[in-house]
Amino acid sequence: MSDRQDRQNPYQPHLARIVRILPQIPDHRLFQLRFEDDEVARNFKHRPGQFVELSVLGTGEAPISISSSPTRPGTLELCVRKVGRVTEALFRLGVDAVIGIRGPYGNGYPVEEMEGHNLLLVAGGLGMAPLRSLLWYAMDNRSKFKDIILMYGARVPGDMLFKYELLGLLDQPDIKCLLTVDRDDTGRWPAHIGVVPKLFDKVELDPKTTIAAVCGPPVMYKFVLQKLLERNFSKDHILMSLERKMKCGVGKCGHCAIGYKYTCLDGPIFTYWDVINLPEVV
Amino acid sequence: MRIVTLPKDNLVPFLESTKAFGELHAPLRRGEESCALGKVDNAADIQVGCLRTILPPKKYFMPQEQTMFSFSPEGYEPVAEEAGKRYVLFGLHPCDIHGLKILDLVFSGKYTDPYYFERRKHVAIIGLDCIPDEYCFCDSMGTSFAEDGFDLFLNDIGDRYLVMVGTSLGDDMVNASARLFGEVDETAKEEFKRRSNTRREHFAVEVETWGLPEIFDMEYESPLWREAGERCLSCGACSMVCPTCYCYDVLDLLELNAEKGVRKRRWDSCLFKDYALVAGGHNFRKERSSRVKNRFFHKQRGFVAEYGRPACTGCGRCIVDCPAQINIVELITKLRSYSHV
Ligand SMILES: Cc1cc2nc3c(=O)[nH]c(=O)nc-3n(C[C@H](O)[C@H](O)[C@H](O)COP(=O)(O)OP(=O)(O)OC[C@H]3O[C@@H](n4cnc5c(N)ncnc54)[C@H](O)[C@@H]3O)c2cc1C
Ligand code: SF4
Ligand code: SF4
Ligand code: FES
């Protein structure tokens, strides 16, 4: 397959090798990938919040957020939950297996516009996957941002993604890392207990200088949005990541359309203002 | 634009001569009352009077099912599909030419769809004017006249056609049969003007598009959508026959040895129940009414926001073919006047 055709056809995946698999919590794994072709690897530039289309030979494709930060190139990291055909086939593969990747797609976070602001990252469950890319992007460009606050909640300690990496941030001076679990069955949980919205009582937030990036299940959105609006956050300063069925990732197959937007092109990151203007969004 | 005339008696010989430029396809009789675009063996069989082919010309540019590439453990290989085969498509009316121009918008942009444009490059288009019937509302949608998007366009002026030459390929086709064509004279001009001045009178239906996107927003919760949803059978016929519906599904097919296979795409419909169903069982458009609404909303509202024009050509196919008599013209008319009823 010639490289030119390769680049011209946006549907054709590039081969990528699984270099490491890091088990996370039940049914969730972090896959570290490296493109087989050096040129493809060099040309792959992403923004936090973008996603790729992942193919497992013969089973199809699935859109997956990029969990690694562009500030840490070399391998691409995807945190995947096993739910259906493609993801189950992926979980059957081991290190050294080859899969297909195309992308990056979507708008990603407007990181340039976020510079000079305080960042509030709020995640629930698998919502940490895209936010982890933004988190490390901001930490690696620390001087460009003011205060960084991370709020992340899981049901129990054993359900927390990237747990050890995030626990390591608890006593770091340049980030306020608030981790919470709904309940602690271990008795050894070193951080907060309770739902994510309750963490808002623990911080001072200046809505004028803070941009919030929220990603999590629908219930979490509901209560977190309430907290942010109570604190007078402008609707443009609340960024949400939306999930839709996707087949092409490039604005052709129609599946991800919501009202006037394509989630794959215009999103998946939308401001809350965009979201309230989109019909049937939740 | 170069303009010539073609006596009607010369149409068949001319169309025969275009076979030198590609395989000739045109409306042919299918059943009692219908016509379908198909391969022409004998140009005399062409149904010149056909108004609405069953399927629109999109089938030549995005086939119902299409192989995207093959894969094996060695990688993904493009498939050379009928490489370079040329077609001449005759008998496309202005609305269908606009339908293709709308698909061009969708398949270009930030990412170009190589399959669509590869085919687009290989198909010559000879347009033909028409007299609307009681389902046509192309005039309302701004597609009743095509100023480009064709290689040649034939306007009926009585015993001749006034032929617009749109591209250099069209010019070659005319030159290859120069003896069949004539010059434009005063009577030809007059007849063309006379017919174009009275063409509007033939439209039986009309919808007002001014402010329509806003009305779609305002009437988002209108009970009219629920009523339509209660009737809709989710059969998807409306999307299949629509010249601007482009949604597709993607599937991987494995060979028996499970080592090699192909990735295909095929027409999908946002009216199908599982169109927006995601892993975990959540369906973003579970209700039939939300799916019917989505189709029209996307065409008349969403597309306008995205591309500056509606994704409907007013061809009337979805009205004619809906087994539940869901009628977009009627719906728009009711949405516009709803508060007054
Ligand atoms: C922008 C975006 C980012 C995502 N990021 C992640 C991530 O980082 N980690 C993760 O585990 N999951 C993520 N998902 C969800 C993930 O795409 C689905 O879980 C996955 O497609 C399921 O595929 P499957 O074949 O295993 O399941 P099946 O249920 O067998 O799905 C069949 C096909 O339907 C489509 N599909 C099904 N569910 C979804 C869905 N929720 N979203 C989009 N398409 C779907 C896909 O084309 C898929 O191949 C993301 C989804 C989107 C839209
Ligand atoms: S053709 Fe009519 S019944 Fe069938 S899906 Fe479309 S609107 Fe529904
Ligand atoms: S929506 Fe109906 S009338 Fe409009 S272009 Fe499609 S099939 Fe034709
Ligand atoms: S995923 Fe195909 S249009 Fe967005």
Side-chain angles (χ1 to χ4, degrees), chain A residues 51 61-65 79-81 83-88 126 129 242-247 268, chain B residues 277-279:
Chain A
F51 65 94
E61 282 189 310
I64 303 290
S65 308
C79 180
V80 182
R81 167 162 47 199
V83 288
R85 266 170 66 84
V86 177
T87 49
E88 271 164 17
L126 190 52
L242 299 187
E243 197 172 318
R244 273 295 177 282
K245 180 143 165 177
M246 291 186 181
K247 285 291 175 184
Chain B
L277 179 73
V278 297

Side-chain angles (χ1 to χ4, degrees), chain A residues 1 9-13 15 55 58 60-61 105 243-245 247-248 252-255 257 260 262 279-280, chain B residues 68-69 71 74 76 106 108 111-113 115 220 246-249 252 263 268 274-275 277 284-285 306:
Chain A
M1 125 179 83
N9 188 335
Y11 300 111
Q12 206 161 316
L15 297 183
S55 291
E61 282 189 310
Y105 297 130
E243 197 172 318
R244 273 295 177 282
K245 180 143 165 177
K247 285 291 175 184
C248 71
K252 313 291 182 208
C253 77
H255 281 81
Y260 1 116
Y262 279 133
E280 52 186 41
Chain B
M68 303 174 78
F69 45 76
F71 52 74
E74 278 73 55
Y76 296 82
V106 172
S108 59
Y111 302 95
T112 304
D113 189 288
Y115 310 106
Y220 198 74
Y246 50 85
C247 285
Y248 63 81
D249 193 12
D252 280 9
R263 178 163 295 167
D268 198 355
D274 55 358
Y275 181 84
L277 179 73
F284 289 97
R285 272 181 232 110
E306 196 122 2

Side-chain angles (χ1 to χ4, degrees), chain A residues 158-173:
Chain A
D159 264 359
M160 183 161 278
L161 291 166
F162 311 109
K163 186 164 66 186
Y164 295 103
E165 175 180 318
L166 296 177
L167 285 173
L169 293 175
L170 284 181
D171 44 14
Q172 284 226 18

Side-chain angles (χ1 to χ4, degrees), chain A residues 2-139:
Chain A
S2 90
D3 232 275
R4 236 192 108 62
Q5 276 164 320
D6 222 31
R7 236 178 280 135
Q8 279 173 345
N9 188 335
Y11 300 111
Q12 206 161 316
H14 300 291
L15 297 183
R17 190 171 293 274
I18 301 176
V19 292
R20 252 182 112 189
I21 301 175
L22 302 158
Q24 293 279 318
I25 58 175
D27 288 338
H28 292 66
R29 287 181 191 163
L30 186 70
F31 293 85
Q32 286 187 342
L33 310 171
R34 188 167 291 141
F35 287 107
E36 291 280 88
D37 186 298
D38 286 338
E39 202 190 328
V40 172
R42 261 196 314 279
N43 291 334
F44 190 94
K45 303 244 177 342
H46 76 279
R47 303 165 71 82
Q50 284 192 298
F51 65 94
V52 291
E53 284 285 348
L54 177 155
S55 291
V56 180
L57 216 63
T59 59
E61 282 189 310
I64 303 290
S65 308
I66 301 172
S67 279
S68 48
S69 165
T71 49
R72 300 173 180 203
T75 57
L76 191 66
E77 294 183 344
L78 307 179
C79 180
V80 182
R81 167 162 47 199
K82 187 172 73 170
V83 288
R85 266 170 66 84
V86 177
T87 49
E88 271 164 17
L90 178 68
F91 273 55
R92 283 195 293 271
L93 299 178
V95 167
D96 250 10
V98 172
I99 60 172
I101 295 284
R102 58 188 180 94
Y105 297 130
N107 55 357
Y109 289 102
V111 283
E112 293 84 3
E113 286 166 44
M114 296 165 89
E115 283 176 11
H117 289 82
N118 301 314
L119 292 189
L120 170 64
L121 313 185
V122 188
L126 190 52
M128 195 60 220
L131 280 181
R132 177 176 178 258
S133 177
L134 181 61
L135 169 71
W136 289 112
Y137 176 89
M139 293 300 282

Side-chain angles (χ1 to χ4, degrees), chain B residues 217-335:
Chain B
D217 277 346
M218 271 183 258
E219 294 297 349
Y220 198 74
E221 301 300 338
S222 164
L224 284 171
W225 296 120
R226 205 186 50 245
E227 285 164 29
E230 276 162 14
R231 280 191 283 141
C232 172
L233 310 170
S234 299
C235 68
C238 49
S239 328
M240 304 301 147
V241 301
C242 177
T244 66
C245 271
Y246 50 85
C247 285
Y248 63 81
D249 193 12
V250 181
L251 57 159
D252 280 9
L253 298 177
L254 277 176
E255 280 175 15
L256 281 178
N257 64 16
E259 282 269 287
K260 288 195 239 158
V262 287
R263 178 163 295 167
K264 290 190 172 225
R265 63 177 177 187
R266 65 170 177 220
W267 292 359
D268 198 355
S269 170
C270 60
L271 274 305
F272 292 154
K273 176 164 96 261
D274 55 358
Y275 181 84
L277 179 73
V278 297
H282 185 69
N283 191 337
F284 289 97
R285 272 181 232 110
K286 196 162 64 235
E287 309 297 328
R288 260 177 305 162
S289 60
S290 72
R291 299 199 293 272
V292 174
K293 175 160 66 182
N294 173 67
R295 176 163 182 273
F296 293 130
F297 193 91
H298 182 250
K299 291 197 175 296
Q300 304 287 353
R301 173 66 181 101
F303 208 83
V304 178
E306 196 122 2
Y307 297 105
R309 60 145 303 132
C312 170
T313 68
C315 73
R317 285 188 180 88
C318 64
I319 305 175
V320 178
D321 289 325
C322 174
Q325 280 87 46
I326 291 170
N327 180 324
I328 177 64
V329 172
E330 221 174 270
L331 260 163
I332 292 179
T333 311
K334 280 192 190 160
L335 282 176

Side-chain angles (χ1 to χ4, degrees), chain A residues 246-271:
Chain A
M246 291 186 181
K247 285 291 175 184
C248 71
V250 293
K252 313 291 182 208
C253 77
H255 281 81
C256 71
I258 323 176
Y260 1 116
K261 306 266 185 186
Y262 279 133
T263 316
C264 67
L265 286 182
D266 306 313
I269 313 299
F270 291 100
T271 67

